[in-house]
Amino acid sequence: MKQHRLAAAVALVSLVLAGCDSQTSVELKTPAQKASYGIGLNMGKSLAQEGMDDLDSKAVAQGIEDAVGKKEQKLKDEELVEAFAALQKRAEERMAKMSEESAAAGKKFLEENGKKAGVTTTASGLQYEVIKKADGPQPKPTDVVTVHYTGKLTNGTVFDSSVERGSPIDLPVSGVIPGWVEGLQLMHVGEKYKLYIPSDLAYGAQSPSPAIPANSVLVFDLELLAIKDPAKEDAAAK
């Protein structure tokens, strides 16, 4: 988390805090009012995820009031830099701890899951179950396939689902996370698999979304619907 990112977030939240207090209800009728609430809500969630759950709302409001009123600031720039650095360090330590805990929990999950009947573990560490068998062709690394999927964390929380959106997706076999690249090539068209993907075959420590903690094991219900025919695709495009 960079200093300017934290400062910008605090500034945006302070605009909301300066305009109301805990004893005052605000109207949320006009587009501007709704957007203002959305800014506060989104930035509040972001700050909470960064571990910024102890902001002093009065100090925030005082800071914005001094800036808008062009008053002399109560802290020197050096003090502010030091304060932001302390918060950045705290956030980094928090994220490192969460990452370590997630990695340990993922390892334990896979160890236990691999003992279950019907679960196969490959040489890479990928685990899978065949939920529905079929005799269709298997995709190659160069193929584009059509799939339906639901992605979950090991606690069952859904973070993405083409099934919920009601629309399957087309994707290149070699253009997805390593766990999918391997898993798709094991499948036959018409089959349904459950993939248990170790973090090093998914996103590792670089989470693509707040919904997916760093070093998470990912669980996918995956259905291979079709392998796209390049010749037919080219003909249809003409």
Side-chain angles (χ1 to χ4, degrees), residues 40-172:
L41 190 65
N42 290 335
M43 297 313 302
K45 290 179 179 179
S46 177
L47 288 168
Q49 290 166 355
E50 296 282 3
M52 288 291 297
D53 52 6
D54 59 349
L55 280 179
D56 186 325
S57 60
K58 292 182 179 179
V60 173
Q62 184 65 61
I64 200 72
E65 181 181 336
D66 288 350
V68 172
K70 298 181 180 180
K71 300 177 182 178
E72 182 179 355
Q73 62 187 55
K74 293 177 173 56
L75 294 174
K76 296 179 180 179
D77 288 342
E78 293 80 3
E79 293 178 281
L80 295 175
V81 169
E82 183 179 352
F84 281 124
L87 292 181
Q88 179 178 337
K89 181 181 179 182
R90 185 182 69 177
E92 290 173 349
E93 290 173 346
R94 175 176 173 271
M95 292 304 296
K97 181 180 178 181
M98 290 176 61
S99 181
E100 291 176 3
E101 291 174 347
S102 181
K107 181 179 179 181
K108 182 178 180 181
F109 173 87
L110 291 170
E111 288 175 350
E112 295 299 320
N113 192 66
K115 299 174 184 177
K116 295 180 179 178
V119 175
T120 299
T121 302
T122 70
S124 69
L126 174 70
Q127 295 180 352
Y128 68 91
E129 288 182 79
V130 180
I131 307 301
K132 174 186 174 184
K133 289 189 66 65
D135 297 322
Q138 290 177 285
K140 303 182 296 296
T142 54
D143 285 331
V144 173
V145 296
T146 303
V147 301
H148 247 327
Y149 70 91
T150 295
K152 307 175 184 177
L153 303 180
T154 56
N155 64 6
T157 300
V158 175
F159 59 81
D160 191 16
S161 175
S162 68
V163 176
E164 291 184 359
R165 291 192 296 273
S167 178
I169 65 169
D170 295 340
L171 51 85

Side-chain angles (χ1 to χ4, degrees), residues 13-28 36-37 40 57-58 60-61 64:
V13 173
S14 68
L15 289 173
V16 179
L17 293 173
C20 63
D21 58 42
S22 60
Q23 304 301 318
T24 304
S25 60
V26 296
E27 290 189 349
L28 302 174
S36 298
Y37 177 76
S57 60
K58 292 182 179 179
V60 173
I64 200 72

